[in-house]
Amino acid sequence: MNLAVPSSDTTAPWHDPALSPEERADALIGVMTLPEKLAQLVGVWVGASDEGGDVAPHQHDMEAPPDLDTLLPNGLGQLTRPFGTAPVDPALGALSLARSQQRIAAANRFGIPALAHEECLAGFAAWGATAYPVPLSWGATFDPALIRRMAVAIGRDMRAVGVHQGLAPVLDVVRDGRWGRVEETIGEDPYLVGAVATAYVQGLESTGVVATLKHFAGYSASRAGRNLAPVGMGARERADVILPPFEMAVREGRPRSVMHAYTDTDGIPSAADEALLTGLLRDTWGFEGTVVADYFGVAFLKLLHGVAADWAEAAGLALASGVDVELPTVKTFGEPLLRAVGAGTVPEALVDRALRRVLVQKAQLGLLDPGWNPIPPALAGSRLDDPAALRGSVDLDTEENRRLAERIAEQAVVLVRNDGTLPLARPGRIALIGPNADTPTSVLGCYAFPVHVGSQHPEIPLGIELPTLKQELARAFPESRIRAVQGATVDGTDTGGFAAAVAAAKDSDVVVLALGDRAGLFGRGTSGEGCDAESLELPGVQQQLLDTLLDTGKPVVLVLLAGRPYALGRAGTEAAAVVQTFFPGEAGTRAIASVLSGRTNPSGRLPVSIPSRPAVQPTTYLAARLAGPSEVSSTDPSPAFAFGHGLGYTEFSWSGLQVEQHTAGTDGEIRLAFTLRNTGERAGTETVQLYLHDPVASVVQPVQRLIGFQRITLAPGEETRVRVVVPADLASFTGRSGERIVEPGEVELRLAASSADCRLTARVRLDGPTRTLDHTRRLHAEFVLD
């Protein structure tokens, strides 16, 4: 089968690779009609054919699917989720996409194909692709380099089948644990979020896939943790908490796309915020890529925000603010924008501005090259005229991928509490109880393909192996008798299964209680997009089941497979052990069993605080003094287990703090050193966390904030000298004038095992004038091990 695309004109300047992408884009813009220009600024939501035929427009509630025969002669900007809309064999999906790309390029007079994008939040969201742990687990690893490796693997798989852009990572900072999309975030600290997300961006971009930062900006700060609810934060919180991860990723990751947030901040929707999307992102930070709309986000300016009277006004607002591409499908940037430009209400120069960014990106991706071929690497050399023979020939869940997913899952397991029961010493009888004890999908978040799409196609196999906790415990403890009892469902109210659970517990040596969430979308789960919580009490009757089993007097090892942190009630002090995981992916149950058996020494750290009480929010550690417990409030938001907390099966001593100089200029740096020693009997990993406390500042500051971290693995009895260089820039904050400043005065540098467990403190002074910083400031402390 020949999928070659007849060139429109191989001598045309836009096909000349010797010219810069900008020159090629300008040449195209000069000869395009307005309908052709607008066609490059929209996507069409499609699903690939499982028979290898052309993609088909996706049916959805927001907009009737367009007629491709009418649309394609003008061209097409993007194809939305050809693999992520319905289950399709990867090889046949790649063939379907290639055939569709041939059709698209052949239909328009310039031979321009579409850019194909997919979700890749916890892996390539396609049938049969590896389901990695969710981003909250990435944060628990405190290991950016490991997450970079994962992103390389994801990007390699996407690129192999013809996908150009991935809609990840999420850089939202958790502000309220009740928000349904907590599972998609990396944690509650902006430095952790920025460091890990930047590594993901670097990995994905290194494969040639466009990374997309989202959701810019403030989505996670919605009131009461409600999805899409208004955001009421001030400019300083936005500047010091919400924006720094995006700034770091833009500077150090060099992503080629950003997606606006759905929310409004102080009445200004992000999709219509020119100061944010153009003034800050482009003019200040120097971002040069495309800004894409979150799905239907431009239409929401009219439908949900009420800042536009009609579709044309919504399109004009978004375009003027800096949105370049409307996703997921053509609506406001189509006929309404065409009429508005024709009538003179929207300047064509705004269309050309967005179009230039889109075409530059397509040129960079090779989509304008004269030798462009729609056949992706995965199908190179294959017989394309026999689709049946292709089925099963592309593997998106390789052994290498699975080993990487398991390593991430292992490093993300957080041992929250342990009275010495763990690791389990070959128990004779294990009572495995709980709604997540024998449920394959309990390890997956809402954007994992089997949950996000596969749940709508129950007749189709999952596409990947998802061993349950019951199966993995049986492998880890082959000599133990394991009795599994559900006890209750995730969110049901029936307590009829409690009696069987109690009987199993009494007839056991240890209880492993698997509780947590069921991922879903818009109320179909207890965690995920649109699955916000009224409180942080465990869903359904799970807390009652937990308390009932604690009352048996048997040792209870609580294992949580969840998308957010929950208050644990009595378990925080009475459970034999508490093991926290955040939707740890396809290898998650194996990782949990490995920790319970002692094969793996846990090293995860909490990326979010675990609350003491379910109804007191927020409990984030990143808060000012008056946000904590005080004599003037009857509520106490102190967490049960703080950000950064995590135990292992060995102990570490911290000693010998040395401060090279106790004074530095506001433009200088402080040098510290201390000795870390593994005093236990097995190898283990300590995560050194560096916090800054500013006791007196011109504006209210959080009690402390993370400014650096380093994972350090040591053999039994081994020690290392840890040297840390701390630039004064890391003491900066947004001052009264709205500028970022470093003030003279005393600060504390706290070397800690968690935000609540400071081991060594260096009190130092910054001297000199108050210094104003910009986006070129230093962002990291440097850790060196001797």
Side-chain angles (χ1 to χ4, degrees):
M1 178 183 296
N2 181 15
L3 290 184
V5 177
S7 177
S8 56
D9 180 1
T10 57
T11 64
W14 51 86
H15 286 310
D16 185 358
L19 298 177
S20 70
E22 292 76 14
E23 290 171 321
R24 297 167 74 180
D26 290 339
L28 257 175
I29 293 171
V31 296
M32 295 177 86
T33 66
L34 182 58
E36 289 170 334
K37 291 178 178 180
L38 295 180
Q40 293 296 320
L41 307 186
V42 298
V44 170
W45 199 337
V46 297
S49 166
D50 196 44
E51 302 299 326
D54 283 354
V55 299
H58 174 55
Q59 299 278 347
H60 49 80
D61 296 336
M62 283 292 298
E63 183 71 8
D67 176 34
L68 292 183
D69 290 333
T70 302
L71 188 68
L72 293 186
N74 288 321
L76 180 62
Q78 295 214 12
L79 286 168
T80 293
R81 295 174 65 180
F83 290 89
T85 298
V88 57
D89 176 85
L92 295 178
L95 177 60
S96 175
L97 177 57
R99 283 175 164 169
S100 300
Q101 288 282 44
Q102 179 194 37
R103 176 186 176 189
I104 293 165
N108 70 83
R109 64 192 180 107
F110 304 111
I112 307 173
L115 184 155
H117 77 256
E118 291 287 353
E119 296 284 358
C120 55
L121 183 73
F124 180 13
W127 187 84
T130 305
Y132 294 95
V134 297
L136 201 56
S137 278
W138 310 352
T141 70
F142 275 71
D143 193 344
L146 182 61
I147 303 309
R148 185 182 298 110
R149 283 183 54 197
M150 179 194 71
V152 170
I154 293 170
R156 182 182 60 235
D157 288 341
M158 295 173 74
R159 195 70 167 143
V161 295
V163 176
H164 307 100
Q165 180 171 359
L167 302 187
V170 169
L171 292 93
D172 297 305
V173 178
V174 175
R175 303 303 285 162
D176 191 323
R178 294 173 296 180
W179 189 46
R181 303 189 79 167
V182 166
E183 64 176 68
E184 300 179 42
T185 74
I186 294 168
E188 69 182 39
D189 179 85
Y191 183 79
L192 176 65
V193 172
V196 173
T198 297
Y200 181 99
V201 172
Q202 292 167 342
L204 200 68
E205 288 280 355
S206 73
T207 68
V209 173
V210 176
T212 308
L213 310 185
K214 61 184 189 183
H215 307 86
F216 194 61
Y219 188 25
S220 59
S222 57
R223 290 193 181 106
R226 296 181 60 247
N227 194 38
L228 270 67
V231 175
M233 65 183 169
R236 187 166 291 102
E237 180 181 354
R238 191 188 211 190
D240 288 352
V241 177
I242 300 299
L243 294 177
F246 290 94
E247 180 183 8
M248 185 186 295
V250 168
R251 280 183 54 184
E252 299 180 354
R254 303 200 60 82
R256 287 176 284 173
S257 193
V258 170
M259 175 180 281
H260 74 73
Y262 282 131
T263 44
D264 74 85
T265 300
D266 196 25
I268 307 297
S270 292
D273 191 343
E274 184 176 5
L276 178 71
L277 300 182
T278 298
L280 179 65
L281 180 63
R282 295 189 184 278
D283 297 344
T284 300
W285 292 351
F287 175 73
E288 296 179 347
T290 58
V291 173
V292 300
D294 203 344
Y295 286 12
F296 307 108
V298 179
F300 287 168
L301 295 176
K302 173 184 181 293
L303 291 175
L304 301 183
H305 293 294
V307 297
D310 52 37
W311 304 131
E313 187 176 1
L317 269 174
L319 200 62
S321 298
V323 177
D324 302 312
V325 180
E326 182 179 30
L327 296 179
T329 199
V330 56
K331 187 172 180 70
T332 71
F333 276 23
E335 191 65 30
L337 185 54
L338 180 68
R339 291 195 303 268
V341 174
T345 56
V346 175
E348 189 168 352
L350 291 178
V351 174
D352 289 347
R353 181 180 72 171
L355 176 62
R356 189 173 193 266
R357 296 164 183 162
V358 168
L359 293 178
V360 164
Q361 193 165 94
K362 286 194 171 185
Q364 293 169 341
L365 290 166
L367 299 180
L368 303 185
D369 290 352
W372 174 81
N373 191 310
I375 301 174
L379 299 185
S382 300
R383 284 191 55 190
L384 305 184
D385 56 353
D386 186 6
L390 287 176
R391 189 178 296 275
S393 64
V394 174
D395 186 2
L396 298 179
D397 188 32
T398 63
E399 178 62 29
E400 181 182 359
N401 284 6
R402 292 194 294 272
R403 286 197 302 267
L404 181 57
E406 184 174 358
R407 181 174 176 186
I408 297 168
E410 287 179 349
Q411 288 192 194
V413 175
V414 184
L415 180 57
V416 175
R417 171 178 162 78
N418 187 19
D419 67 0
T421 298
L422 295 184
L424 296 176
R426 301 175 65 182
R429 299 167 300 168
I430 299 174
L432 176 60
I433 300 171
N436 285 336
D438 199 21
T439 304
T441 55
S442 64
V443 294
L444 302 180
C446 78
Y447 269 82
F449 187 90
V451 172
H452 197 77
V453 178
S455 60
Q456 302 167 47
H457 302 271
E459 75 284 0
I460 303 295
L462 291 174
I464 54 176
E465 292 185 9
L466 295 175
T468 67
L469 187 56
K470 177 184 176 182
Q471 291 170 321
E472 289 298 341
L473 284 184
R475 292 189 183 100
F477 300 97
E479 298 177 3
S480 300
R481 178 173 64 85
I482 300 174
R483 179 180 176 186
V485 177
Q486 185 183 43
T489 60
V490 167
D491 56 351
T493 59
D494 185 5
T495 60
F498 282 22
V502 168
K506 289 182 176 179
D507 187 37
S508 72
D509 298 311
V510 65
V511 175
V512 176
L513 178 59
L515 304 179
D517 278 314
R518 183 185 68 254
L521 290 166
F522 304 112
R524 296 191 294 272
T526 59
S527 175
E529 185 173 1
C531 296
D532 309 317
E534 293 182 4
S535 82
L536 293 183
E537 182 177 9
L538 283 162
V541 294
Q542 292 185 75
Q543 185 66 53
Q544 296 176 49
L545 177 61
L546 170 56
D547 291 342
T548 298
L549 294 173
L550 289 173
D551 288 340
T552 66
K554 293 289 184 175
V556 174
V557 176
L558 173 60
V559 175
L560 293 151
L561 297 103
R564 61 163 65 86
Y566 285 105
L568 305 179
R570 293 165 52 194
T573 55
E574 297 181 32
V578 176
V579 175
Q580 175 76 65
T581 69
F582 299 105
F583 290 141
E586 64 179 52
T589 54
R590 187 174 301 115
I592 293 169
S594 185
V595 167
L596 297 186
S597 68
R599 184 178 68 84
T600 294
N601 189 350
S603 62
R605 300 293 183 264
L606 289 175
V608 285
S609 306
I610 293 178
S612 294
R613 299 165 199 61
V616 180
Q617 281 295 309
T619 56
T620 169
Y621 94 96
L622 194 67
R625 299 174 193 178
L626 286 174
S630 71
E631 296 178 355
V632 297
S633 174
S634 59
T635 62
D636 183 353
S638 299
F641 300 97
F643 171 85
H645 170 73
L647 306 175
Y649 297 148
T650 191
E651 299 291 335
F652 293 87
S653 66
W654 306 45
S655 63
L657 176 63
Q658 179 182 13
V659 182
E660 188 171 296
Q661 72 287 332
H662 287 269
T663 303
T666 53
D667 60 351
E669 58 188 27
I670 300 292
R671 295 176 179 269
L672 313 173
F674 73 98
T675 298
L676 183 71
R677 180 179 177 83
N678 183 346
T679 58
E681 297 179 354
R682 62 180 295 176
T685 300
E686 180 68 288
T687 298
V688 174
Q689 300 163 44
L690 177 63
Y691 294 87
L692 184 141
H693 168 62
D694 190 346
V696 179
S698 57
V699 298
V700 175
Q701 291 293 290
V703 172
Q704 60 181 346
R705 52 189 172 89
L706 184 72
I707 59 172
F709 58 85
Q710 181 68 47
R711 285 174 56 94
I712 301 173
T713 300
L714 297 174
E718 184 182 7
E719 67 178 40
T720 186
R721 191 72 177 162
V722 184
R723 302 187 184 278
V724 191
V725 179
V726 186
D729 290 15
L730 300 187
S732 67
F733 57 88
T734 302
R736 290 174 180 250
S737 67
E739 296 177 302
R740 180 168 286 276
I741 60 173
V742 177
E743 292 181 334
E746 293 184 356
V747 296
E748 287 185 6
L749 300 175
R750 299 173 174 176
L751 293 159
S754 79
S755 60
D757 185 6
C758 178
R759 300 295 177 88
L760 300 168
T761 300
R763 294 175 177 84
V764 299
R765 182 173 183 84
L766 300 178
D767 284 340
T770 296
R771 179 167 152 257
T772 301
L773 284 72
D774 60 17
H775 63 285
T776 64
R777 70 189 183 279
R778 296 171 70 179
L779 300 178
H780 304 283
E782 300 173 21
F783 289 80
V784 177
L785 307 184
D786 289 349

